[in-house]
Amino acid sequence: SINSYERIKNLSWILQHHTDEKILIVISAMGKMTNSLEKIAEEYYEGKKEEALHLFEGVKSHHLSLIKYLFTIEWEKATKDLEIIFTQTESILNTSPTKDYNYYYDQIVSIGELLSSSLISNFLTEENIPNIWFDVRKVLKTDSNFRDGKVDWDLSKEKINQEVRPLFNDTNFVITQGFISSDQDDNSTTLGREGSDFTAAIFAKLLNAESATIWKDVDGVMSGDPREIKTAVVVENLNYKEVIEMAYYGAQVIHPKTIKPLQNENIPLYVKSFINPQLPGTAITAVKTGKLPPMIVYKRNQALITLESIDFTFVEGGPINNLHTILDKLRLKPNLTQNTAISLLMCVDDIEEKTSELAEQAAHIFLVHIRRNLTLLTIRHYDLEIIEQLTKGKAIVLEQRTTETVQLLISED
């Protein structure tokens, strides 16, 4: 949400309404900054050092330009703190890569959160909102699986108790970074998809927080994407299980790995609007919710892969096991599967190089057919009326139902 100086000022306004609470604040990179840093990492790893340094100048100027809008007193310290981070990054970009790409991705991309959180901490000081900034990499420890670090919960808890808890003796607001962490050799690591939300959940669990709040650019968790479902509404109360189910089916809500640490400790999660913070948003708890509206998820650009037994024997057993090996290697997850005695139907995201490679490798085991340009529609808490409304005039290629959920693979042609 912090993609401009106006948004950063909005953060200050929100915090002024919570000055009597002890809050750990997890900051993401600004706007599309992660995308910019990913491009820099790619150029650097391909040996295009000058291009990488040139792109990095854009990152620097973006953050430095915000200082003139945000600061009148603390500008010198804010500038100095940013320049320390700039220098550390340029020292990497001026070398040649000797390790694999994922390692350098984490060393370079991780600075987005360091820059944004440093800027915000200094701005809050400018606004007379006392706070302490700390580098999350000192306490949040993972293995060395770069780009998808696995949290070392015991070590992280020990370090958080030693280094983070005492900070609240001196301030009510502690500022840190989302998405990033470090391994036991102090190399930067990252936590994968939705890493900042996950960071908040980790700290909530390990600090025994009263609650966690995720601030987004929407009014709360909605029953569907309002850009596609005009009747979508904010759902004010959900339980953990429902959110995990929705995320599994592809809804852009909260990632399951964020939910689990909170669910395990029964810590409420609130999803609030950064734009309209006075709105109630959504509360996600263990409490069983009442009747929910139909929850609608579209996944576009799907492919239906039909795999038939070559010799008309059952597909179960060896052929299926071999197929799972191929899927694991390609990191391709089926969104829907159905099987008959001699065939398996599988709906996947149509990433062309992956689906083509899957078809090529699976052709040694099955007769393979691919149908593209499909959409997977998932409706939880469905009724016949909503199914008819959303499928009117469209061909249903594949259908799967439980008592709570219907999935329909639709041809838009």
Side-chain angles (χ1 to χ4, degrees):
S1 298
I2 48 162
N3 58 10
S4 65
Y5 75 91
E6 294 98 340
R7 293 290 190 87
I8 293 173
K9 288 182 176 179
N10 199 39
L11 171 60
S12 167
W13 185 86
I14 291 171
L15 291 180
Q16 284 167 356
H17 291 75
H18 297 274
T19 53
D20 59 340
E21 301 173 49
K22 292 191 180 295
I23 302 177
L24 183 129
I25 302 161
V26 175
I27 304 291
S28 298
M30 299 190 68
K32 301 294 183 182
M33 194 52 59
T34 299
N35 294 343
S36 299
L37 291 165
E38 286 176 340
K39 180 64 175 174
I40 291 167
E42 289 169 10
E43 296 287 336
Y44 165 77
Y45 196 72
E46 289 174 6
K48 301 175 183 176
K49 190 183 300 184
E50 295 304 317
E51 287 90 335
L53 287 165
H54 175 71
L55 290 172
F56 189 59
E57 287 298 319
V59 171
K60 290 166 62 176
S61 63
H62 176 80
H63 287 87
L64 290 170
S65 68
L66 289 169
I67 288 177
K68 63 185 177 184
Y69 295 107
L70 294 172
F71 295 92
T72 55
I73 301 167
E74 298 288 332
W75 65 270
E76 193 168 2
K77 181 178 183 301
T79 303
K80 182 180 178 182
D81 288 348
L82 291 183
E83 286 176 344
I84 291 170
I85 302 168
F86 294 153
T87 301
Q88 292 169 348
T89 309
E90 286 169 333
S91 69
I92 297 173
L93 298 179
N94 278 302
T95 65
S96 297
T98 57
K99 299 182 180 180
D100 69 16
Y101 173 72
N102 289 342
Y103 169 83
Y104 289 104
Y105 177 98
D106 281 2
Q107 310 320 300
I108 294 168
V109 172
S110 60
I111 71 146
E113 281 72 16
L114 294 170
L115 293 170
S116 60
S117 61
S118 173
L119 199 65
I120 284 168
S121 175
N122 281 309
F123 173 68
L124 294 178
T125 301
E126 172 95 6
E127 295 282 287
N128 295 314
I129 300 175
N131 70 93
I132 295 175
W133 180 96
F134 80 93
D135 187 337
V136 73
R137 296 173 300 177
K138 292 182 178 179
V139 300
L140 186 45
K141 308 303 285 188
T142 70
D143 62 10
S144 298
N145 186 29
F146 297 104
R147 297 188 71 181
D148 192 17
K150 299 298 181 289
V151 176
D152 185 329
W153 290 93
D154 291 336
L155 182 57
S156 296
K157 182 174 185 177
E158 178 186 327
K159 287 184 172 292
I160 286 169
N161 283 335
Q162 288 173 352
E163 302 194 36
V164 179
R165 281 188 182 276
L167 299 178
F168 286 103
N169 295 328
D170 300 319
T171 184
N172 278 2
F173 295 147
V174 174
I175 311 289
T176 196
Q177 306 80 38
F179 179 58
I180 69 176
S181 44
S182 71
D183 66 10
Q184 292 200 26
D185 294 323
D186 294 329
N187 297 302
S188 296
T189 56
T190 57
L191 298 174
R193 182 184 163 198
E194 302 298 332
S196 289
D197 291 356
F198 188 32
T199 301
I202 293 167
F203 275 103
K205 172 183 171 68
L206 297 182
L207 289 168
N208 302 313
E210 181 182 289
S211 66
T213 303
I214 294 176
W215 296 86
K216 292 189 174 288
D217 286 349
V218 292
D219 293 345
V221 177
M222 303 194 72
S223 60
D225 186 336
R227 294 170 296 185
E228 301 198 75
I229 309 296
K230 302 303 180 189
T231 56
V233 295
V234 174
V235 184
E236 291 191 3
N237 293 284
L238 288 168
N239 61 38
Y240 302 119
K241 180 179 179 293
E242 182 67 31
V243 175
I244 291 171
E245 289 280 349
M246 292 301 297
Y248 175 80
Y249 291 117
Q252 298 301 305
V253 284
I254 310 299
H255 196 279
K257 70 181 182 183
T258 297
I259 293 294
K260 285 308 292 181
L262 303 173
Q263 182 182 23
N264 291 346
E265 304 300 323
N266 201 19
I267 298 170
L269 174 65
Y270 300 101
V271 180
K272 296 269 291 178
S273 170
F274 192 79
I275 313 300
N276 300 302
Q278 73 281 2
L279 295 176
T282 299
I284 301 167
T285 66
V287 177
K288 190 172 182 180
T289 53
K291 182 175 172 59
L292 292 170
M295 307 287 282
I296 301 162
V297 182
Y298 280 105
K299 284 181 76 74
R300 310 273 183 201
N301 193 32
Q302 299 292 292
L304 177 63
I305 302 177
T306 303
L307 306 157
E308 294 182 354
S309 171
I310 291 174
D311 57 4
F312 296 103
T313 57
F314 294 152
V315 294
E316 290 153 341
I320 292 293
N321 294 338
N322 291 335
L323 176 64
H324 283 307
T325 300
I326 297 169
L327 290 169
D328 287 343
K329 285 181 179 176
L330 294 173
R331 294 189 177 184
L332 199 57
K333 183 181 79 68
N335 298 318
L336 174 65
T337 59
Q338 267 187 26
N339 64 284
T340 67
I342 61 169
S343 66
L344 174 70
L345 293 87
M346 184 169 58
C347 169
V348 298
D349 295 340
D350 192 8
I351 305 165
E352 189 166 352
E353 62 272 18
K354 289 192 176 186
T355 50
S356 297
E357 181 67 20
L358 171 62
E360 184 178 333
Q361 292 190 34
H364 300 292
I365 316 166
F366 303 97
L367 297 172
V368 183
H369 307 275
I370 301 180
R371 182 170 178 180
R372 292 190 155 94
N373 301 319
L374 302 173
T375 295
L376 181 60
L377 167 63
T378 302
I379 313 170
R380 278 183 62 75
H381 317 295
Y382 65 91
D383 55 38
L384 292 178
E385 182 182 351
I386 193 69
I387 293 174
E388 290 174 5
Q389 177 186 327
L390 296 177
T391 60
K392 187 175 181 180
K394 297 173 183 174
I396 298 174
V397 177
L398 194 64
E399 178 176 336
Q400 193 158 278
R401 295 193 194 202
T402 67
T403 54
E404 286 192 324
T405 305
V406 60
Q407 289 190 283
L408 304 160
L409 194 59
I410 295 169
S411 172
E412 302 281 1
D413 299 335

